[in-house]
Amino acid sequence: MAHQLPPLRCSRCATEFPVDSLVWLCPCGGVLDVADFGAKLPSRSELATRPATLWRYAESLPVPELPQVSLGEGMTPVVPAVGLPDARVKLEYLSPTLSFKDRGAVMLATLAHLLGVRRLIADSSGNAGTALSAYAARIGIPCEIYVPASTSPGKLGQMRAHGANVHLIEGNREDAARAAKVAAEAPDASYASHMFHPYFLHGTKTFAFELWEQGMPDTVVLPVGHGTLLLGAYLGFRELLAQGLIPKLPTIIGVQSANCAPLATAADAGAPGPATITPIPTKAEGIAIAEPARGEAILAAVADTGGTILGVTDDQVLKARTELAAAGFYVEPTSAVCWAAITAARTATAPTTPSWTTATPHLTTPNLTLALSGAGLKSPN
């Protein structure tokens, strides 16, 4: 039987849309989720016979594997964190385009191929654009990426190398998103948005499935901008719990740059939605998101796990990046925010705010895993 592409449902008004309508936002303004998708993980014995890619979880994914699209993404290694023997690091920067965004990009590219999409439009701070550019190149679909003019040259070079038409937009990340949305109104274009299209999250949820196989931690620490890794991981953990494969949800601690922290500010205030902020430029460009599209869902997700969201300074981030490099992990500043938060909690240098008070016991647990989400060559300075 042919693979059925699950429809999309508005999180606000529950209106459903067939996925081939290419709708990315409900007319009521609500973001879309995947409707009534009966995800089910195979047994561990069955998994042992499958290739070490995210497609080993085929029964839990909304699109079928197409060998002509895949780059072998998924099943990134987990290794001990040097200097913190009770912590582990999941090396997402060893993905094909050097960031976790490959997990979701392959979902969107596969969908585009199945639907016969003629042109892909996206906005990005860098990593989502590089991932989508690579997968679009694989299937021969023209790709246009809108990015802030300040985006790291390494990421721009990677996108262009894959053949993407890169549009540099003056202003911040939100300005790039607005430009992309206008371009996506063209009749031959599809807005392949990693923050709006929910199929992307069903790719990033495989991060959680892999941890289930590699050893489930008590606490997971993740960088947060638009939250596509965090929300995907939460979705995966919820599916594992629903199938009785884990006894409880791990606590999720999200980390933002203090220069652009609408979610951390909201968490400190106990607010259900992102705070209104004036962003300041930050070295952690990949999470410099002042208006996260799924902000309420992110805050609800971390709260459901007993976690919270923190902010760390650029000085802390750069110090953490140096420490990670000394331990063998060369990552971009966005990845280093997690190490910065863990270090602050374990050296008693964390602020005494409500969120840090909540997070510190979890950041000092003996069973913790953090994600290193993007490679250092993307932002070498």
Side-chain angles (χ1 to χ4, degrees):
M1 184 170 62
H3 195 106
Q4 296 296 312
L5 299 175
L8 310 181
R9 178 183 295 147
C10 177
S11 61
R12 182 182 297 174
C13 72
T15 299
E16 290 195 7
F17 305 89
V19 72
D20 60 1
S21 67
L22 303 183
V23 171
W24 57 270
L25 187 70
C26 183
C28 80
V31 294
L32 304 178
D33 297 319
V34 175
D36 301 327
F37 180 51
K40 183 169 178 59
L41 280 160
S43 67
R44 285 186 180 271
S45 59
E46 173 62 25
L47 283 170
T49 69
R50 297 187 177 186
T53 73
L54 62 77
W55 298 102
R56 65 199 281 109
Y57 312 114
E59 296 89 339
S60 291
L61 300 175
V63 295
E65 179 182 10
L66 300 179
Q68 67 268 39
V69 182
S70 174
L71 287 166
E73 53 287 322
M75 201 46 82
T76 56
V78 173
V79 300
V82 175
L84 292 178
D86 55 353
R88 300 187 308 157
V89 178
K90 189 157 174 60
L91 305 182
E92 288 293 280
Y93 68 86
L94 296 183
S95 300
T97 76
L98 308 182
S99 88
F100 81 90
K101 292 293 199 326
D102 292 341
R103 295 181 182 273
V106 73
M107 297 293 126
L108 298 189
T110 301
L111 179 63
H113 187 69
L114 291 170
L115 298 181
V117 168
R118 295 173 57 190
R119 186 161 60 99
L120 292 174
I121 305 289
D123 52 275
S124 174
S125 57
N127 285 335
T130 60
L132 192 64
S133 299
Y135 286 95
R138 286 278 288 174
I139 55 178
I141 296 179
C143 182
E144 297 188 34
I145 309 294
Y146 290 74
V147 298
S150 59
T151 299
S152 296
K155 295 175 182 177
L156 296 177
Q158 191 176 2
M159 285 181 254
R160 288 168 174 150
H162 292 308
N165 185 7
V166 180
H167 302 268
L168 302 181
I169 305 300
E170 293 299 328
N172 59 24
R173 182 64 178 76
E174 282 66 39
D175 294 314
R178 282 187 281 272
K181 291 171 187 175
V182 171
E185 292 175 359
D188 66 337
S190 173
Y191 185 34
S193 168
H194 67 287
M195 60 275 199
F196 282 108
H197 203 298
Y199 274 39
F200 194 97
L201 302 179
H202 281 262
T204 57
K205 76 180 180 184
T206 58
F207 174 92
F209 296 164
E210 291 173 19
L211 283 183
W212 168 61
E213 291 196 78
Q214 294 166 324
M216 184 61 67
D218 293 323
T219 300
V220 179
V221 189
L222 304 170
V224 184
H226 270 302
T228 51
L229 180 56
L230 188 151
L231 287 173
Y234 174 70
L235 175 63
F237 292 136
R238 293 291 308 179
E239 290 183 0
L240 289 164
L241 183 67
Q243 295 172 56
L245 297 173
I246 56 174
K248 64 181 182 65
L249 296 173
T251 300
I252 298 177
I253 304 295
V255 190
Q256 298 201 288
S257 164
N259 287 3
C260 188
L263 297 169
T265 302
D268 258 336
T276 300
I277 65 163
T278 300
I280 301 169
T282 173
K283 292 292 186 180
E285 64 177 4
I287 51 173
I289 307 298
E291 301 172 19
R294 297 178 182 268
E296 291 183 6
I298 296 168
L299 289 163
V302 294
D304 187 44
T305 71
T308 188
I309 301 178
L310 309 170
V312 292
T313 68
D314 269 22
D315 285 346
Q316 289 174 305
V317 169
L318 294 176
K319 183 175 183 292
R321 190 189 193 205
T322 299
E323 292 173 354
L324 286 166
F329 308 115
Y330 187 44
V331 298
E332 64 176 328
T334 298
S335 290
V337 299
C338 296
W339 189 260
I342 294 167
T343 300
R346 296 188 178 210
T347 57
T349 59
T352 56
T353 63
S355 290
W356 278 98
T357 300
T358 297
T360 295
H362 299 292
L363 294 176
T364 54
T365 181
N367 185 18
L368 173 151
T369 297
L370 65 144
L372 295 182
S373 55
L377 290 175
K378 289 174 173 284
S379 301
N381 298 321

